[in-house]
Amino acid sequence: MNRKLLSSLPVQLLLAGIAAWCFTALLPSDSAFTDSALYSLIVLAKTTYIGLLKMVVGLVVMLSLLQGITSIGSTVKLKALGMKTVVFYFMTSLLAISLALGVSLSLPEWPALIEPSSVVVQPGVELISEASSSAGSIATKLFSMALVNPVDALANTNLLAIVVFSLMLGMALLATLPREHAVFEVISGFNTAVNYVVSGIIRLAPLAVFAIVVEFTLNSGDALFGQLALFALLVFVLTAIHGGIVLPLIAKLMTGIRLGQLFKALSAPMAMAFATSSSSATLPLSMQVAEEELGVSQSTSSMVLPLGAIMNMDGTALFEGVAAIFLAQLYGIDLGTSGLVMIFIMAMVSSIGAPGMPSGSMSGMQLVLLAAGIPLEAIAILLIIERPLDTFRTAVNVEGDLIAALVVDKWQEGKATV
């Protein structure tokens, strides 16, 4: 029994995190450990694991989408699956941002303590221009990200462009080739081979989690426990409500799945997302869990999950809504109805296409600030605690993707309760 328990990936990840925390806690406070060769090896372990995932994640997305699309069998079924996926993602994002704004506005206002001139942006932080907040600029940015050379997209892990190209190519193959064409067998073969490589990489996850937790603990210091502690607590609680109550309740009502079974299946991908702060890096594991533990069909998981990695960011939308209210009140800015509407819209829009990597939502946060008339330099305040909070919201983003795959798969079978 103990051997079976220890072979469980979630348990291994938990033990790795605890071991890392104990390791750093035993170091003396004035330790020069960060300058040692052992620390360099620990960082190398993290860099190697993330590098391996980055190396394959583009191919995983492209091949899984191509196989998922071509296995659907017809463009009519493909259109139905795509519409259901988008509707579900829009619904959960709407719930997340509504929860964020509703609770934030019902609480006592934060005191207006900060003068805009007193905020200094950290070196190396690039602020976007005010012109970038217009609808045209946002659309231009999304299209410029999506419509690029597919080889360049794979080289730079541009998931939005990879998804767009894969959708176009998959639909073209589905529309022009006979169902038993050899191309479909080649795609399936490559997909199987890449998934085999991914399974080998995932076995290294506990070592990577140990390295990530050690590095983060040594470098985070006490920033989280300063003047932003209450704000961080609010974001954490709301994120926990959305991830621990709202999303599981949706899964229960729409699919009838037992919550114990759901949380057991979600534990490993969420733990990995928490450790890496990257929904893209967690994608291969998410696809494996969806098919093997949640019983989601390959055609659904290979379509829904890659799309979720670029457009379903419930945790990000929630964070941006709470942060915008917090900063506006901190600066003494009266948002009014129009300001709240802009925050609502921009938090929804900017979360779509946000890079699935650590702190990838910060450019979207700047758009929210500009739209609400909040000084752009306020981003420097969020950067103090953004990294710790990013871990929680990424875990919820991944949870939302997996629940979406489960619900949409049931919709496809006609068994979901709507």
Side-chain angles (χ1 to χ4, degrees), residues 254-270:
M254 291 189 170
T255 70
I257 189 172
R258 291 183 292 106
L259 293 183
Q261 177 190 354
L262 177 67
F263 285 123
K264 181 181 178 182
L266 295 178
S267 57
M270 290 183 69

Side-chain angles (χ1 to χ4, degrees), residues 300-332:
T300 300
S301 68
S302 58
M303 177 83 171
V304 175
L305 293 175
L307 283 177
I310 65 166
M311 69 176 295
N312 183 45
M313 304 286 181
D314 291 358
T316 299
L318 188 150
F319 168 77
E320 291 177 350
V322 177
I325 299 296
F326 167 71
L327 292 174
Q329 294 178 354
L330 214 60
Y331 278 90

Side-chain angles (χ1 to χ4, degrees), residues 5-16:
L5 188 65
L6 290 175
S7 65
S8 169
L9 182 59
V11 173
Q12 292 175 1
L13 295 177
L14 177 62
L15 292 177

Side-chain angles (χ1 to χ4, degrees), residues 268-285:
M270 290 183 69
M272 179 57 63
F274 181 87
T276 62
S277 296
S278 172
S279 54
S280 298
T282 313
L283 182 58
L285 178 58

